[in-house]
């Protein structure tokens, strides 16, 4: 196959991205070749800035441009409620729901003894320090509903409850717009147990 | 939504790529933030080089690093057979089939009166010049099997046949590995008409 080397290399690098197969990588590379110079410049600058301009917030470890993230800097947020999440992407997801107006704490992962993730490699120490410095009265655990998320939630609940803080976990149940027929039995089971009186 | 600006911008730029929706764009941006510096550098360099290092071959308009592309420079290719395609991506697709060992000519599109693509905006003038300079005895038209591809094929056949060159078009029929049940009726019809005696 006589494919031009710069194209070959670009396809290989794009192919390393999650969810980008060989065919998509080739389509993207060929699209960029045909794109206007200014668009490609804008794209490359934007991607470069992800590495240059973004850092982790000094307080909550959310993605931030400055020392403290937008949410930590805002005086419109409820300073007494803390939502604990796994990754910065979870902050984005919860913000989109518009149902939470408190602060966040991003753990940077979940406990996973098998892959060597212990409490020390997560931002748990910093979390405990926040309870000393800040006036937090309620914690919402919003970790993923899988085994590791559950384990980490239980671990954190045990750690936080003795501090006299109200601890809750986001509900499990049928997703809105979902179909009972296609839901797995574990989800239906949880939804049954956690049924709400009308 | 309190999303960090560099992330927001990167998502918007990625979202402009074909087949990359908002969710995929966000996933890719967050992946790059977590990726190693060297990988991001390699990716950005590879994409930048698409614009800097690639040009169109002076003879066939395939993608090329030098004045003439790999295929035009090769002395192992049959110099008498010319395959006419729409885009450089078609060259890659045909090369992968390993069934063609001649030269190419990339039109840069197909005739489309509705969108203002006329013979002058394609590399047809350069194609005709090649018949004067080169010893081409056979032409294979490998344009897409849609209305515009068909129209362009007919147009080119009319132009080339008087030059005493053998002109053919790649076959239409059922794709290998395809299923008769899922093929559209136009494809089945063509496959019927173009049936081959065994």
């Amino acid at each position: 196959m006589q494919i031009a080397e710069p194209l070959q290399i670009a396809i290989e690098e794009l192919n390393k991205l999650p969810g980008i197969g060989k065919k998509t990588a080739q389509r993207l590379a060929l699209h960029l070749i045909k794109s206007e110079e200014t668009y490609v410049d804008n794209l490359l600058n934007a991607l470069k800035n992800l590495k240059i301009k973004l850092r982790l917030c000094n307080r909550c470890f959310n993605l931030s441009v400055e020392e403290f993230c937008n949410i930590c800097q805002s005086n419109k947020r409820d300073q007494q409620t803390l939502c604990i999440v796994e990754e910065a992407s979870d902050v984005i997801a919860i913000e989109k729901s518009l149902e939470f107006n408190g602060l966040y704490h991003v753990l940077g992962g979940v406990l996973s003894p098998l892959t060597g993730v212990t409490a020390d490699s997560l931002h748990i120490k910093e979390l405990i320090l926040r309870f000393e410095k800040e006036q937090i009265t309620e914690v919402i655990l919003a970790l993923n509903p899988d085994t590791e998320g559950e384990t980490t939630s239980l671990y954190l609940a045990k750690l936080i409850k003795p501090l006299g803080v109200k601890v809750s976990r986001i509900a499990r149940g049928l997703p809105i717009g979902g179909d009972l027929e296609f839901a797995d039995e574990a989800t239906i089971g949880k939804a049954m147990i956690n049924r709400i009186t009308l």
Side-chain angles (χ1 to χ4, degrees), chain A:
Chain A
M1 247 276 281
Q2 304 266 17
I3 189 166
E5 206 197 7
L7 178 57
Q8 186 65 55
I9 292 171
I11 292 172
E12 279 164 20
E13 294 298 333
L14 286 166
N15 188 208
K16 290 176 189 165
L17 291 169
I20 306 292
K22 274 242 154 153
K23 283 222 165 179
T24 309
Q26 181 181 309
R27 193 160 42 87
L28 291 175
L30 289 166
H31 176 83
L32 288 177
I33 291 172
K34 284 201 279 182
S35 296
E36 298 215 359
E37 198 83 34
T38 47
Y39 167 63
V40 178
D41 285 347
N42 287 344
L43 174 69
L44 296 184
N45 271 330
L47 298 183
K48 200 190 278 175
N49 282 338
L50 286 178
K51 282 301 210 192
I52 296 174
K53 291 197 181 169
L54 284 178
R55 42 167 292 168
L56 297 184
C57 170
N58 258 8
R59 181 156 78 153
C60 77
F61 301 97
N62 184 18
L63 291 170
S64 178
V65 178
E66 296 166 49
E67 192 184 350
F68 295 105
C69 75
N70 292 333
I71 295 171
C72 282
Q73 280 190 46
S74 166
N75 51 20
K76 287 181 187 148
R77 313 283 304 205
D78 169 10
Q79 307 287 319
Q80 299 192 302
T81 315
L82 193 66
C83 179
I84 301 180
V85 296
E86 224 173 292
E87 303 282 356
S89 52
D90 302 325
V91 173
I92 299 174
I94 293 171
E95 285 296 288
K96 277 185 182 159
S97 79
L98 303 173
E99 287 293 344
F100 180 70
N101 195 39
L103 304 175
Y104 290 93
H105 191 83
V106 181
L107 292 178
V110 275
L111 295 174
S112 168
L114 285 176
T115 55
V117 181
T118 62
D120 289 340
S121 40
L122 303 175
H123 300 302
I124 292 179
K125 219 185 307 169
E126 294 90 341
L127 173 67
I128 301 305
L129 279 174
R130 289 185 71 174
F131 287 104
E132 291 172 17
K133 285 191 217 159
E134 302 173 34
Q135 307 301 316
I136 300 161
T137 56
E138 185 178 352
V139 160
I140 299 168
L141 296 164
L143 307 183
N144 286 325
D146 50 24
T147 320
E148 289 164 352
E150 298 285 328
T151 312
T152 312
S153 290
L154 290 175
Y155 176 86
L156 291 174
K158 253 192 191 169
L159 214 62
I160 300 166
K161 268 186 180 170
L163 305 173
V165 175
K166 189 182 158 194
V167 179
S168 63
R169 191 182 60 182
I170 53 167
R172 282 92 174 82
L174 288 172
I176 308 297
D179 196 320
L180 207 72
E181 195 184 343
F182 301 121
D184 63 297
E185 55 270 27
T187 301
I188 296 180
K190 282 274 184 193
M192 279 297 212
I193 293 163
N194 301 329
R195 66 189 176 278
I196 285 169
T197 315
L198 298 176

